[in-house]
Amino acid sequence: MINANRKGYLKGMNLSISEYLNQSEQWKNSLLGTHCYAKNIPRLNAELTVPTTRIPMARLGGEGSLCGVWQGNDLPKSGQYENINYRYDDNLLFGVIVLSEKMFDATMDKTPLQLASERAYNQIFSLLDKLSFPYLFRIWNYMADINDQSSGLERYVQFNLGRQDAFLSHGRDVVGNVPAACALGFKSTFDEENSDQNSLTISFLAGRVEPLNIENPRQISAYQYPQQYGPRSPTFSRASLVTLGSDEILFVSGTASIVGHASLHPDDVVAQTHETINNISAVLAEVNRRDNQARFELSDLHYTVYVRHIDDLDPIRNELQHCVGNKLKAVYLQANVCRQDLLLEIEATAGHSMVKRHSTTDSNDSNHGRV
């Protein structure tokens, strides 16, 4: 999440669920939305209209729960569109959609997860059209048993089919101009009280200013993967740089130990961590090259690290500390990554004030001129 203490259009902070619940109702009603993660998540203030994801992923290395909150610059308005709960201000829209696969019967050529994914994205695009928020900045996709097989296809492949069908049916680009995203899995449960936690859950940030979508020169773009990864490629960019007023917000997609299109370092979690940071570094270099105002560094980022095996937490954390340094800001969640051979995935966010950076640059230029 972005540092909550910074000024600007979009702020974020991480709390435990208990800390979140102890905040005032007035503060909660100022939020755009919330991501909540824990092994067992209570229903959170159902009377409030804050769009909230409830993902059954345990927080590792300390407090066992995490609420990541997003706050805009203005008091948001709330709404409901079909299955989407959303909030928006003049610049940003945050929405959450939860669809149970039990709502869908398999057809001759589509699985329930594929149908749920297609329905979810169809609703998202229709809402964005309705409210004139044409640009998706960042999407978070969560589903049960992401690496399992059914109907002869891995479930992540089924999700990709449904997602891209919706992009195409709404005339959306499926290469190049696509949002930053991640797709993570969790183990399905059989708790009737929390049965919705097994559902496909998607949250998203959208806006009215076109973002700069970034690819990684070390990797083949995800939307150009060969068919060995499925009949439809994943539809996301490696990062998205958004300008909001005098701020630049960077969303780095879920990133893993992939070079070209191949997973590297099987069974070596330290090497995978190092390769993942190499990929994030390459993305930052490309951001800074594409936008000559940007000067993002590894130490600027706020990291969310998805860890497949709990026992790998310490070596991952130690390697991140080694790569990023003492300014490392990271939270860790137990999750399944989209490829079975990947042991971790890292997403990240950062924000810069262009006004502050311009004044610093101008000052430096002036000093150089006097020397």
Side-chain angles (χ1 to χ4, degrees), residues 8-28:
Y9 276 94
L10 181 63
K11 300 173 283 291
M13 63 188 301
N14 291 321
L15 305 169
S16 68
I17 288 179
S18 60
E19 289 171 333
Y20 174 80
L21 293 174
N22 286 332
Q23 301 297 318
S24 70
E25 300 300 296
Q26 182 179 3
W27 178 84
K28 291 173 190 169

Side-chain angles (χ1 to χ4, degrees), residues 270-296:
V270 173
Q272 284 200 17
T273 305
H274 189 83
E275 200 71 68
T276 301
I277 290 298
N278 285 344
N279 279 328
I280 293 175
S281 295
V283 168
L284 296 186
E286 187 66 8
V287 171
N288 295 337
R289 184 189 71 81
R290 292 278 305 277
D291 177 7
N292 58 19
Q293 302 299 332
R295 292 294 179 268
F296 290 99

Side-chain angles (χ1 to χ4, degrees), residues 118-119 121-127 129 164-173:
E118 185 176 2
R119 173 80 60 84
Y121 273 87
N122 280 332
Q123 290 189 24
I124 290 169
F125 293 140
S126 295
L127 173 64
D129 291 343
Q164 194 171 111
D165 282 344
F167 268 78
L168 292 170
S169 68
H170 284 264
R172 294 261 174 169
D173 291 336

Side-chain angles (χ1 to χ4, degrees), residues 296-337:
F296 290 99
E297 300 177 356
L298 288 174
S299 59
D300 296 327
L301 300 178
H302 292 251
Y303 299 88
T304 300
V305 184
Y306 298 97
V307 179
R308 187 180 289 274
H309 303 300
I310 294 176
D311 290 346
D312 287 338
L313 173 62
D314 284 343
I316 290 171
R317 188 161 47 187
N318 291 341
E319 183 62 20
L320 282 178
Q321 188 77 50
H322 173 75
C323 293
V324 179
N326 292 330
K327 293 184 178 180
L328 173 66
K329 302 171 286 288
V331 294
Y332 302 85
L333 298 168
Q334 186 177 17
N336 291 328
V337 184

Side-chain angles (χ1 to χ4, degrees), residues 176-177 210-217 221 223 237-241 248 250 282-296:
N177 186 29
E210 185 173 8
L212 177 63
N213 296 312
I214 305 294
E215 292 303 312
N216 180 353
S221 298
Y223 47 75
S237 63
R238 300 300 181 184
S240 183
L241 182 66
E248 285 182 323
L250 177 65
V283 168
L284 296 186
E286 187 66 8
V287 171
N288 295 337
R289 184 189 71 81
R290 292 278 305 277
D291 177 7
N292 58 19
Q293 302 299 332
R295 292 294 179 268
F296 290 99

Side-chain angles (χ1 to χ4, degrees), residues 58-123:
R59 183 178 183 178
L60 304 178
E63 175 68 47
S65 64
L66 172 68
C67 276
V69 301
W70 293 102
Q71 192 167 27
N73 203 40
D74 304 305
L75 190 64
K77 301 172 186 176
S78 299
Q80 184 80 29
Y81 176 77
E82 297 188 12
N83 298 100
I84 302 174
N85 188 21
Y86 66 90
R87 276 190 167 183
Y88 68 101
D89 58 24
D90 288 341
N91 300 284
L92 289 165
L93 182 149
F94 183 94
V96 175
I97 181 168
V98 180
L99 288 179
S100 171
E101 294 173 49
K102 294 178 181 178
M103 297 168 54
F104 303 90
D105 294 324
T107 65
M108 289 291 292
D109 58 349
K110 294 186 178 183
T111 68
L113 176 57
Q114 182 178 345
L115 291 166
S117 305
E118 185 176 2
R119 173 80 60 84
Y121 273 87
N122 280 332
Q123 290 189 24

Side-chain angles (χ1 to χ4, degrees), residues 208-238:
R208 293 183 165 127
V209 177
E210 185 173 8
L212 177 63
N213 296 312
I214 305 294
E215 292 303 312
N216 180 353
R218 302 182 80 233
Q219 296 177 313
I220 293 173
S221 298
Y223 47 75
Q224 294 177 332
Y225 279 170
Q227 283 212 341
Q228 70 191 75
Y229 300 104
R232 293 278 181 86
S233 296
T235 310
F236 69 92
S237 63
R238 300 300 181 184

